[in-house]
């Protein structure tokens, strides 16, 4: 069984929107695009590279797919991520796209939840969900996420799309590994372990 791994960059207040650049995603009037680079360091890059060592595919929503497909085919070949991102298989969940042109991309057909269940049961390595907040929330709702790999950066934005938005399914998490970089970014890997328990002091 392949694992579905949500790989996401977050601000300290949980915002995941547009980490990569000012024009990446201005939906809902978001004005803080590009918040990640000033709040990161070399250790973060090394940790992110490790996220891909046991994965051979990405699962992307439409918006993230289009952002990546416009960038990575023409990205600097000296960037160690360029070859990796282009060579990995990409599965794309979209209600509106009719085709996908980026190399090694497949448009999922039919119901997304059913298609992801089939992917999990197929042969291959783990599958990283990168960005794709709406898709990630759908997968969480249907108990399809096996692991979260998160970088939590020392910056507060105050507005924007959040991975764990209002209405997220209450879930207990088991920490697999948690570390802090020299720049103050928390790099955490967590696995769902059922419903939270409750108690009082």
């Amino acid at each position: 069984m392949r694992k579905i791994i949500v790989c996401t960059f977050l601000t300290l207040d949980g915002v995941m929107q547009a980490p990569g650049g000012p024009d990446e995603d201005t939906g809902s009037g978001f004005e803080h695009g590009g918040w990640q680079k000033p709040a990161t360091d070399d250790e973060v890059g090394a940790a992110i590279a490790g996220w891909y060592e046991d994965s051979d595919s990405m699962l992307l929503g439409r918006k993230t797919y289009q952002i990546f497909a416009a960038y990575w085919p023409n990205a600097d070949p000296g960037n160690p991520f360029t070859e990796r991102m282009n060579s990995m298989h990409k599965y794309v969940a979209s209600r509106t796209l009719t085709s996908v042109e980026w190399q090694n991309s497949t448009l999922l057909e039919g119901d997304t939840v059913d298609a992801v269940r089939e992917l999990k049961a197929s042969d291959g390595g783990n599958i990283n969900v990168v960005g794709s907040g709406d898709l990630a929330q759908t997968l969480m709702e249907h108990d399809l996420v096996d692991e979260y790999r998160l970088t939590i950066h020392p910056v507060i934005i105050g507005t924007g799309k959040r991975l764990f938005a209002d209405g997220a399914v209450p879930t207990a998490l088991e920490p697999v590994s948690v570390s802090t970089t020299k720049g103050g970014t928390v790099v955490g890997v967590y696995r769902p372990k059922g419903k939270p328990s409750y108690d009082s002091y």
Side-chain angles (χ1 to χ4, degrees):
M1 179 80 65
R2 305 169 83 176
K3 291 182 180 178
I4 301 294
I5 301 171
V6 170
C7 301
T8 305
F9 313 136
L10 302 175
T11 65
L12 190 61
D13 56 334
V15 175
M16 65 178 296
Q17 188 169 353
D23 300 321
E24 183 178 24
D25 179 3
T26 57
S28 301
F30 189 66
E31 298 179 344
H32 304 286
W35 54 262
Q36 185 191 25
K37 186 174 181 181
T40 196
D41 56 59
D42 293 344
E43 292 176 70
V44 173
I48 294 169
W51 291 357
Y52 290 85
E53 291 179 358
D54 58 359
S55 300
D56 61 11
S57 306
M58 289 185 287
L59 175 58
L60 305 172
R62 176 192 59 81
K63 186 173 290 186
T64 301
Y65 169 79
Q66 290 178 319
I67 292 169
F68 282 10
Y71 177 79
W72 285 110
N74 302 306
D76 177 6
N79 180 337
F81 279 100
T82 299
E83 191 280 331
R84 183 69 168 160
M85 298 297 277
N86 286 317
S87 64
M88 289 183 80
H89 201 96
K90 279 75 70 172
Y91 297 101
V92 185
S94 172
R95 301 184 196 89
T96 56
L97 293 178
T98 57
S99 64
V100 286
E101 306 301 328
W102 187 15
Q103 69 184 81
N104 302 323
S105 295
T106 300
L107 186 62
L108 296 180
E109 297 182 358
D111 180 76
T112 296
V113 171
D114 290 341
V116 172
R117 287 195 177 109
E118 289 184 15
L119 280 178
K120 281 174 64 75
S122 65
D123 293 331
N126 295 330
I127 303 169
N128 290 355
V129 181
V130 185
S132 307
D134 291 343
L135 173 60
Q137 289 170 10
T138 296
L139 300 178
M140 288 188 278
E141 180 183 352
H142 291 87
D143 196 27
L144 288 170
V145 176
D146 298 290
E147 191 167 281
Y148 296 93
R149 297 180 181 179
L150 310 174
T151 58
I152 304 168
H153 298 263
V155 59
I156 294 171
I157 295 299
T159 62
K161 299 173 185 174
R162 288 170 166 80
L163 176 62
F164 303 109
D166 288 349
V169 177
T171 305
L173 298 174
E174 173 188 7
V176 176
S177 64
V178 181
S179 61
T180 304
T181 71
K182 61 188 177 186
T185 295
V186 176
V187 180
V189 179
Y190 308 89
R191 290 179 187 148
K193 62 170 194 175
K195 298 295 183 183
S197 56
Y198 304 93
D199 202 347
S200 60
Y201 289 97

Short mmCIF file of all heavy atoms in Angstrom, two decimals, residues 8-12 39 41 44 47 51 149-154 177-190:
data_model
loop_
_atom_site.label_atom_id
_atom_site.label_comp_id
_atom_site.label_asym_id
_atom_site.label_seq_id
_atom_site.Cartn_x
_atom_site.Cartn_y
_atom_site.Cartn_z
N THR A 8 3.77 20.32 3.21
CA THR A 8 3.27 21.69 3.16
C THR A 8 4.16 22.63 3.95
O THR A 8 4.66 22.28 5.01
CB THR A 8 1.83 21.75 3.73
OG1 THR A 8 1.00 20.82 3.01
CG2 THR A 8 1.24 23.14 3.59
N PHE A 9 4.31 23.84 3.43
CA PHE A 9 5.00 24.92 4.12
C PHE A 9 3.95 25.79 4.81
O PHE A 9 2.97 26.20 4.17
CB PHE A 9 5.78 25.79 3.13
CG PHE A 9 6.62 25.00 2.15
CD1 PHE A 9 6.64 25.37 0.82
CD2 PHE A 9 7.38 23.92 2.56
CE1 PHE A 9 7.40 24.65 -0.10
CE2 PHE A 9 8.14 23.20 1.66
CZ PHE A 9 8.16 23.57 0.32
N LEU A 10 4.14 26.07 6.09
CA LEU A 10 3.17 26.84 6.86
C LEU A 10 3.84 28.01 7.57
O LEU A 10 4.99 27.92 7.97
CB LEU A 10 2.51 25.95 7.93
CG LEU A 10 1.77 24.70 7.47
CD1 LEU A 10 1.31 23.90 8.68
CD2 LEU A 10 0.60 25.05 6.58
N THR A 11 3.08 29.08 7.74
CA THR A 11 3.51 30.14 8.66
C THR A 11 3.20 29.66 10.08
O THR A 11 2.51 28.66 10.29
CB THR A 11 2.75 31.44 8.39
OG1 THR A 11 1.36 31.23 8.67
CG2 THR A 11 2.92 31.89 6.95
N LEU A 12 3.68 30.41 11.06
CA LEU A 12 3.42 30.04 12.45
C LEU A 12 1.93 30.04 12.77
O LEU A 12 1.48 29.26 13.62
CB LEU A 12 4.17 31.00 13.38
CG LEU A 12 4.21 30.61 14.86
CD1 LEU A 12 4.91 29.27 15.06
CD2 LEU A 12 4.93 31.69 15.66
N ALA A 39 12.06 33.64 5.40
CA ALA A 39 11.91 33.00 6.70
C ALA A 39 12.43 31.57 6.68
O ALA A 39 11.97 30.72 7.44
CB ALA A 39 10.43 33.01 7.12
N ASP A 41 16.02 28.72 5.73
CA ASP A 41 17.48 28.58 5.78
C ASP A 41 17.88 27.29 5.08
O ASP A 41 17.02 26.53 4.62
CB ASP A 41 17.97 28.60 7.24
CG ASP A 41 17.31 27.54 8.11
OD1 ASP A 41 17.43 26.34 7.78
OD2 ASP A 41 16.67 27.90 9.11
N VAL A 44 16.33 23.89 5.99
CA VAL A 44 14.98 23.62 5.49
C VAL A 44 15.06 22.93 4.13
O VAL A 44 14.36 21.95 3.86
CB VAL A 44 14.16 24.93 5.39
CG1 VAL A 44 12.82 24.67 4.71
CG2 VAL A 44 13.94 25.51 6.78
N ALA A 47 15.94 19.33 4.47
CA ALA A 47 14.82 18.54 4.99
C ALA A 47 13.81 18.27 3.90
O ALA A 47 13.30 17.15 3.77
CB ALA A 47 14.17 19.28 6.16
N TRP A 51 12.18 14.69 1.95
CA TRP A 51 10.78 14.31 1.80
C TRP A 51 10.53 13.49 0.53
O TRP A 51 9.55 12.77 0.43
CB TRP A 51 9.89 15.55 1.74
CG TRP A 51 9.78 16.32 3.02
CD1 TRP A 51 10.33 16.01 4.23
CD2 TRP A 51 9.07 17.55 3.21
NE1 TRP A 51 10.01 16.96 5.16
CE2 TRP A 51 9.25 17.92 4.56
CE3 TRP A 51 8.32 18.36 2.37
CZ2 TRP A 51 8.67 19.08 5.09
CZ3 TRP A 51 7.76 19.51 2.90
CH2 TRP A 51 7.93 19.87 4.25
N ARG A 149 4.16 16.08 6.44
CA ARG A 149 5.52 16.57 6.53
C ARG A 149 5.43 18.09 6.39
O ARG A 149 5.12 18.60 5.31
CB ARG A 149 6.41 15.94 5.46
CG ARG A 149 6.51 14.43 5.63
CD ARG A 149 7.38 13.76 4.59
NE ARG A 149 7.40 12.31 4.80
CZ ARG A 149 8.07 11.45 4.04
NH1 ARG A 149 8.79 11.89 3.01
NH2 ARG A 149 8.02 10.15 4.31
N LEU A 150 5.70 18.79 7.47
CA LEU A 150 5.42 20.22 7.54
C LEU A 150 6.67 21.01 7.91
O LEU A 150 7.44 20.58 8.77
CB LEU A 150 4.33 20.49 8.59
CG LEU A 150 3.06 19.65 8.51
CD1 LEU A 150 2.16 19.96 9.70
CD2 LEU A 150 2.33 19.90 7.20
N THR A 151 6.83 22.16 7.27
CA THR A 151 7.79 23.14 7.75
C THR A 151 6.97 24.32 8.27
O THR A 151 6.12 24.86 7.57
CB THR A 151 8.76 23.62 6.65
OG1 THR A 151 8.03 24.18 5.56
CG2 THR A 151 9.60 22.46 6.14
N ILE A 152 7.22 24.68 9.52
CA ILE A 152 6.47 25.76 10.17
C ILE A 152 7.45 26.91 10.41
O ILE A 152 8.34 26.81 11.24
CB ILE A 152 5.84 25.26 11.48
CG1 ILE A 152 4.96 24.03 11.18
CG2 ILE A 152 5.01 26.37 12.13
CD1 ILE A 152 4.52 23.27 12.42
N HIS A 153 7.26 27.98 9.65
CA HIS A 153 8.26 29.04 9.58
C HIS A 153 7.95 30.17 10.58
O HIS A 153 6.78 30.44 10.88
CB HIS A 153 8.31 29.60 8.16
CG HIS A 153 8.71 28.58 7.15
ND1 HIS A 153 10.01 28.47 6.70
CD2 HIS A 153 8.02 27.61 6.51
CE1 HIS A 153 10.09 27.48 5.82
NE2 HIS A 153 8.89 26.94 5.69
N PRO A 154 9.00 30.84 11.07
CA PRO A 154 8.82 31.88 12.09
C PRO A 154 8.34 33.20 11.49
O PRO A 154 9.06 34.21 11.45
CB PRO A 154 10.22 32.00 12.71
CG PRO A 154 11.14 31.66 11.58
CD PRO A 154 10.44 30.58 10.81
N SER A 177 9.11 12.65 13.68
CA SER A 177 10.36 13.38 13.92
C SER A 177 10.02 14.87 13.94
O SER A 177 9.23 15.34 13.13
CB SER A 177 11.40 13.09 12.84
OG SER A 177 10.97 13.54 11.58
N VAL A 178 10.64 15.58 14.85
CA VAL A 178 10.44 17.02 14.96
C VAL A 178 11.79 17.65 15.30
O VAL A 178 12.46 17.22 16.24
CB VAL A 178 9.41 17.38 16.06
CG1 VAL A 178 9.21 18.89 16.11
CG2 VAL A 178 8.07 16.67 15.81
N SER A 179 12.17 18.66 14.52
CA SER A 179 13.43 19.36 14.78
C SER A 179 13.25 20.83 14.46
O SER A 179 12.29 21.23 13.78
CB SER A 179 14.57 18.77 13.94
OG SER A 179 14.29 18.92 12.56
N THR A 180 14.17 21.64 14.95
CA THR A 180 14.14 23.07 14.68
C THR A 180 15.45 23.48 14.02
O THR A 180 16.53 23.11 14.49
CB THR A 180 13.96 23.87 15.99
OG1 THR A 180 12.77 23.43 16.64
CG2 THR A 180 13.82 25.36 15.69
N THR A 181 15.36 24.21 12.92
CA THR A 181 16.56 24.64 12.21
C THR A 181 17.18 25.85 12.90
O THR A 181 16.57 26.47 13.78
CB THR A 181 16.23 25.01 10.75
OG1 THR A 181 15.49 26.23 10.73
CG2 THR A 181 15.42 23.91 10.08
N LYS A 182 18.37 26.21 12.47
CA LYS A 182 19.07 27.36 13.07
C LYS A 182 18.30 28.66 12.87
O LYS A 182 18.42 29.59 13.66
CB LYS A 182 20.47 27.48 12.47
CG LYS A 182 20.47 27.72 10.96
CD LYS A 182 21.86 27.65 10.38
CE LYS A 182 21.83 27.81 8.86
NZ LYS A 182 23.17 27.61 8.25
N GLY A 183 17.47 28.71 11.81
CA GLY A 183 16.67 29.90 11.55
C GLY A 183 15.33 29.91 12.25
O GLY A 183 14.56 30.86 12.09
N GLY A 184 15.04 28.85 13.01
CA GLY A 184 13.81 28.81 13.79
C GLY A 184 12.64 28.13 13.14
O GLY A 184 11.52 28.18 13.67
N THR A 185 12.85 27.49 11.99
CA THR A 185 11.77 26.74 11.34
C THR A 185 11.63 25.37 11.99
O THR A 185 12.62 24.66 12.18
CB THR A 185 12.05 26.58 9.83
OG1 THR A 185 12.03 27.86 9.22
CG2 THR A 185 11.01 25.68 9.17
N VAL A 186 10.42 25.01 12.33
CA VAL A 186 10.14 23.67 12.86
C VAL A 186 9.86 22.74 11.68
O VAL A 186 9.00 23.04 10.83
CB VAL A 186 8.93 23.69 13.81
CG1 VAL A 186 8.58 22.27 14.27
CG2 VAL A 186 9.22 24.59 15.01
N VAL A 187 10.60 21.65 11.62
CA VAL A 187 10.39 20.64 10.59
C VAL A 187 9.79 19.42 11.29
O VAL A 187 10.45 18.77 12.10
CB VAL A 187 11.71 20.26 9.89
CG1 VAL A 187 11.47 19.19 8.83
CG2 VAL A 187 12.37 21.49 9.28
N GLY A 188 8.52 19.16 10.99
CA GLY A 188 7.81 18.11 11.71
C GLY A 188 7.20 17.08 10.79
O GLY A 188 6.67 17.42 9.73
N VAL A 189 7.32 15.83 11.18
CA VAL A 189 6.67 14.72 10.48
C VAL A 189 5.72 14.06 11.47
O VAL A 189 6.12 13.69 12.58
CB VAL A 189 7.70 13.70 9.96
CG1 VAL A 189 7.00 12.54 9.27
CG2 VAL A 189 8.70 14.38 9.01
N TYR A 190 4.46 13.94 11.07
CA TYR A 190 3.42 13.43 11.97
C TYR A 190 2.54 12.43 11.22
O TYR A 190 2.33 12.55 10.02
CB TYR A 190 2.52 14.57 12.46
CG TYR A 190 3.25 15.73 13.07
CD1 TYR A 190 3.69 16.81 12.28
CD2 TYR A 190 3.53 15.78 14.43
CE1 TYR A 190 4.37 17.88 12.83
CE2 TYR A 190 4.20 16.86 14.99
CZ TYR A 190 4.62 17.90 14.18
OH TYR A 190 5.30 18.97 14.72
#
